[in-house]
Amino acid sequence: MDRIDFTVMREQINSAFSGFAVIDEDGIIKNVNRSFERNFGLSAAAVIGRPLDIIVPEFKLQKQVTDGVFETEIEGQCYYLIPTELCSGENGHWMGISFINVTVSGELAAKLKDERNLNAELAEILEGSFDGILVTDKDGKILFVNSSYERVAEIKRSDMEGKSMRDLINPVWMPNSVAYVVAEQKTTVSKRQIVKSGRHIMVTGKPIFDRDGEIKKIVINARDITEIYDLSEELQKSKSAEKLYMERLSDFSQMNQKASPILAVSKEMKDALSLAEKVANFQATVLILGESGVGKEEVAKFIHKNSMRRDKPFIAINCGAIPDNLLESELFGYEKGAFTGAINTGKEGLLEAAAGGTVFLDEIGETPLDFQVKLLRFLESKEIRRVGSNHSKSVDVRVLAATNRNLETMIEEGTFRRDLYYRINVVQIEVPPLRKRKEDIVPLASFFLQKYNQKYGQEKLLTMELVDELEKYQWVGNVRELKNVIENMVIVSNNEYLQTEDLPWDVKDKKMQKRRLIDEISEQDLTLGEAVAELEKQILLRTRETCSSTREMAVKLDVNQSTIVRKMQKYNIG
């Protein structure tokens, strides 16, 4: 029954004048037609999946008028209820209920004719079922058989119609009939049978009882389990492929830990490294852009190691971590007595210490304007002047800079010098965020796993379920966050094979957070419109945290960018 296309069924029953509902054996609504929606003022989306006697409480108060016709009063109007058997088998019992409003119209005969037409159309739908369906009476006489049963059981329909199942028994390929076993045991029975061609099929018979508890019909469902065997074989192949995939990950985990390689599987990262390698032997200043944690310093090291300066020092300077009043003395050095607390012998700056090599100025967007002037002078002249000195000194050093801030915006705000921006932005390399290069996530995870396994004496392994979750995660903290997550799991997890529940964020808990958000809003004293607006606002705020633009937000939320912009303006979200 699960293979019946209810979209087709809905098109068929929508043509009926009366309301029509499809329910399962538990009384749960599976489908309704437009007349049902119109008569009861309820949409299909609001009722599907709910018990019929909750939606229409009067359904429990029905009384039988005649054979197969029941009567009840709904909102002061008389309705005839006509049940129709749709299908019964291993996948459940399905029934259609027609609601004929005899108060509104006295044309009952015409409506009953429509219902008979509907029943005929539903029979056509059963005919379209992929599974074989055969219906007999209590004595095994065949009442209905669809073409799929003919295909699956390899028996011509002409050899079945009007006959008894006893006539089909064959000592070689069908020594007994499920129908007779069902009639004898008065319960659902499943048997594996072999058809003429040697294929295996699973045949399930289910009894349909009358009010007296006697069998009136037996519905038989037949399915070719040879296809299931084929699917099982495909599943086994998939598992083998999965095993091979996980084994290949070890190629990344076995890389030399001391080499600190940049793993680049994605096209985006390969393109960034290709450009870095191309500019490595040029002395031009390079500006490396990217979110926090994407690996900008690793790209800077990559440039240095691929340049002619590879045997000289590489010094990384985090400009945001040095107090503004110490930046100049730290980078340019100072003479003795230059200020209170200065070393008597003076001290060379980091630029001098990197002579012949490369200096990486990270977070250059955090430097104050007065220091930017001095840095620009050094970049132009390649000369430094220690604090407290009247003499300049030439220093041969390659400068690489990086930031996660928008320097062009800072220029417009007056917090970053335009001339310095042009000087450091000779070549620009943008390192994409991890969420935009998902192909790199698993190799990096495998690499970090091996690293921390060795560090902490563990032998943890990845699983495909965990891999899937890692690839779905947004990674706001990028590679740095991934590295910390893997280290956390290696330390905290008690499992040899890492599972999704070992993640620092609980996958189930994330779902519960969404549920709690909805519950919190629903518990407030809000109108429906206010509740929807509040939920929209919260979704926009949370999505903005993981997206860099309204265009990216629109893609994630599957709406137009104009919708995102309009709603953010509506809720004053900057």
Side-chain angles (χ1 to χ4, degrees):
M1 184 63 190
D2 55 336
R3 292 182 180 265
I4 289 180
D5 187 346
F6 277 97
T7 301
V8 177
M9 175 180 283
R10 184 169 173 81
E11 292 175 358
Q12 298 290 340
I13 65 177
N14 271 334
S15 62
F17 180 83
S18 60
F20 191 91
V22 178
I23 63 174
D24 65 14
E25 57 191 340
D26 296 320
I28 303 300
I29 297 174
K30 294 300 181 180
N31 212 328
V32 296
N33 67 352
R34 294 193 186 96
S35 294
F36 185 100
E37 294 175 296
R38 184 172 57 253
N39 292 344
F40 297 108
L42 296 168
S43 68
V47 302
I48 290 175
R50 300 180 63 188
L52 177 59
D53 58 5
I54 296 298
I55 301 301
V56 185
E58 296 86 351
F59 182 76
K60 294 183 285 190
L61 305 177
Q62 57 183 296
K63 59 182 179 179
Q64 187 166 2
V65 176
T66 183
D67 187 27
V69 180
F70 302 85
E71 179 183 300
T72 190
E73 184 174 317
I74 303 175
E75 296 182 353
Q77 296 187 345
C78 179
Y79 279 81
Y80 278 179
L81 309 183
I82 303 177
T84 304
E85 293 288 341
L86 298 182
C87 182
S88 180
E90 61 177 341
N91 296 313
H93 175 76
W94 300 78
M95 177 179 289
I97 306 292
S98 297
F99 292 78
I100 302 176
N101 189 330
V102 295
T103 302
V104 173
S105 173
E107 300 177 358
L108 179 58
K111 292 180 181 179
L112 291 175
K113 180 180 179 180
D114 289 341
E115 297 309 317
R116 285 194 293 269
N117 291 337
L118 174 60
N119 291 340
E121 290 173 347
L122 291 176
E124 291 179 358
I125 295 173
L126 293 178
E127 172 64 24
S129 170
F130 184 80
D131 285 351
I133 297 175
L134 182 144
V135 182
T136 76
D137 64 13
K138 62 180 181 178
D139 297 320
K141 182 180 178 180
I142 297 172
L143 304 176
F144 172 84
V145 59
N146 69 355
S147 57
S148 292
Y149 193 92
E150 182 179 25
R151 170 181 56 81
V152 174
E154 296 183 358
I155 307 173
K156 292 181 180 180
R157 184 183 295 189
S158 59
D159 294 335
M160 292 185 282
E161 291 175 336
K163 296 184 179 181
S164 169
M165 291 300 293
R166 193 178 304 277
D167 300 329
L168 305 180
I169 291 177
N170 184 290
V172 177
W173 50 270
M174 198 173 83
N176 197 1
S177 170
V178 167
Y180 293 116
V181 180
V182 171
E184 179 183 337
Q185 299 181 4
K186 293 189 176 183
T187 187
T188 300
V189 175
S190 293
K191 292 179 67 67
R192 182 174 60 86
Q193 294 181 348
I194 301 176
V195 298
K196 295 177 181 178
S197 65
R199 290 185 302 108
H200 294 256
I201 66 173
M202 183 62 69
V203 182
T204 300
K206 182 173 182 179
I208 306 298
F209 299 97
D210 60 19
R211 286 181 173 271
D212 298 324
E214 297 297 325
I215 294 177
K216 61 178 180 179
K217 290 183 179 64
I218 298 172
V219 178
I220 298 174
N221 179 280
R223 176 172 294 181
D224 186 352
I225 58 175
T226 303
E227 297 173 6
I228 297 179
Y229 287 152
D230 292 341
L231 290 175
S232 177
E233 185 177 348
E234 289 297 321
L235 178 60
Q236 190 60 42
K237 290 180 180 178
S238 176
K239 288 184 176 179
S240 297
E242 174 184 320
K243 180 180 179 182
L244 179 61
Y245 175 69
M246 299 304 291
E247 288 175 350
R248 287 180 176 175
L249 289 181
S250 63
D251 294 342
F252 296 105
S253 65
Q254 299 302 322
M255 297 180 73
N256 187 343
Q257 301 293 328
K258 295 181 180 180
S260 298
I262 300 180
L263 297 178
V265 177
S266 65
K267 180 180 182 302
E268 293 81 359
M269 197 61 193
K270 285 181 178 178
D271 289 345
L273 291 184
S274 177
L275 179 57
E277 186 175 18
K278 185 175 182 179
V279 303
N281 278 320
F282 292 91
Q283 301 311 305
T285 307
V286 177
L287 177 61
I288 305 171
L289 301 178
E291 296 178 7
S292 178
V294 294
K296 297 186 291 295
E297 183 173 343
E298 295 302 320
V299 173
K301 290 178 181 178
F302 178 84
I303 293 174
H304 174 72
K305 290 175 182 177
N306 283 276
S307 72
M308 293 181 291
R309 298 173 179 265
R310 66 179 65 89
D311 296 326
K312 298 296 183 179
F314 173 89
I315 296 180
I317 304 171
N318 188 330
C319 300
I322 302 175
D324 293 352
N325 61 339
L326 295 180
L327 264 174
E328 182 179 358
S329 60
E330 285 295 312
L331 266 70
F332 297 115
Y334 57 84
E335 296 292 344
K336 63 179 180 178
F339 51 83
T340 303
I343 299 175
N344 290 334
T345 58
K347 180 182 177 182
E348 72 174 6
L350 295 173
L351 293 176
E352 281 187 76
T358 304
V359 166
F360 173 56
L361 301 178
D362 196 10
E363 296 189 31
I364 195 169
E366 307 300 324
T367 56
L369 286 170
D370 58 346
F371 177 77
Q372 292 176 25
V373 176
K374 297 169 183 176
L375 180 59
L376 175 62
R377 180 182 178 279
F378 165 71
L379 292 173
E380 295 287 358
S381 66
K382 293 298 183 182
E383 292 182 346
I384 64 166
R385 181 179 297 174
R386 291 186 179 185
V387 176
S389 173
N390 295 322
H391 304 287
S392 297
K393 180 180 180 180
S394 295
V395 176
D396 175 27
V397 65
R398 170 84 175 277
V399 175
L400 308 176
T403 183
N404 60 5
R405 302 185 63 180
N406 189 323
L407 296 183
E408 294 180 353
T409 300
M410 293 181 65
I411 291 171
E412 296 300 323
E413 295 172 348
T415 56
F416 199 85
R417 293 183 61 91
R418 187 180 300 273
D419 47 8
L420 177 60
Y421 173 70
Y422 291 141
R423 187 63 186 79
I424 63 176
N425 192 30
V426 178
V427 177
Q428 184 181 111
I429 297 176
E430 184 166 358
V431 184
L434 191 56
R435 61 182 173 275
K436 291 187 177 179
R437 48 183 176 111
K438 292 185 179 295
E439 298 95 326
D440 295 329
I441 292 175
V442 178
L444 283 167
S446 183
F447 174 74
F448 293 139
L449 180 65
Q450 180 65 16
K451 175 179 179 179
Y452 292 117
N453 272 339
Q454 291 181 358
K455 180 176 180 179
Y456 298 115
Q458 300 294 311
E459 295 182 355
K460 304 294 175 66
L461 298 169
L462 297 175
T463 60
M464 282 303 297
E465 291 78 9
L466 180 66
V467 166
D468 289 340
E469 189 61 32
L470 293 177
E471 290 181 335
K472 287 189 293 185
Y473 188 63
Q474 288 299 307
W475 297 112
V476 178
N478 293 295
V479 179
R480 183 185 294 118
E481 182 183 8
L482 173 61
K483 181 180 179 181
N484 292 341
V485 165
I486 298 299
E487 183 174 13
N488 175 280
M489 288 192 292
V490 169
I491 296 172
V492 175
S493 173
N494 294 321
N495 299 318
E496 178 185 359
Y497 289 88
L498 297 178
Q499 311 291 328
T500 54
E501 58 264 27
D502 295 319
L503 289 164
W505 68 88
D506 191 318
V507 178
K508 294 180 181 178
D509 186 56
K510 287 179 68 180
K511 294 179 181 177
M512 288 301 297
Q513 288 177 11
K514 296 177 182 177
R515 180 70 258 172
R516 282 195 294 269
L517 172 62
I518 295 173
D519 290 342
E520 288 171 4
I521 294 174
S522 64
E523 289 172 1
Q524 299 178 37
D525 186 17
L526 301 174
T527 65
L528 179 60
E530 290 171 338
V532 171
E534 181 62 24
L535 183 59
E536 278 189 341
K537 181 179 178 181
Q538 293 301 323
I539 291 173
L540 289 170
L541 287 169
R542 294 189 179 200
T543 305
R544 187 186 62 168
E545 293 177 0
T546 59
C547 297
S548 58
S549 67
T550 55
R551 185 179 302 278
E552 187 177 345
M553 291 174 66
V555 171
K556 184 173 182 179
L557 296 177
D558 195 24
V559 295
N560 294 328
Q561 184 187 19
S562 59
T563 300
I564 295 293
V565 173
R566 185 177 68 254
K567 289 188 179 293
M568 290 182 71
Q569 291 173 345
K570 175 182 176 180
Y571 301 123
N572 295 319
I573 300 174

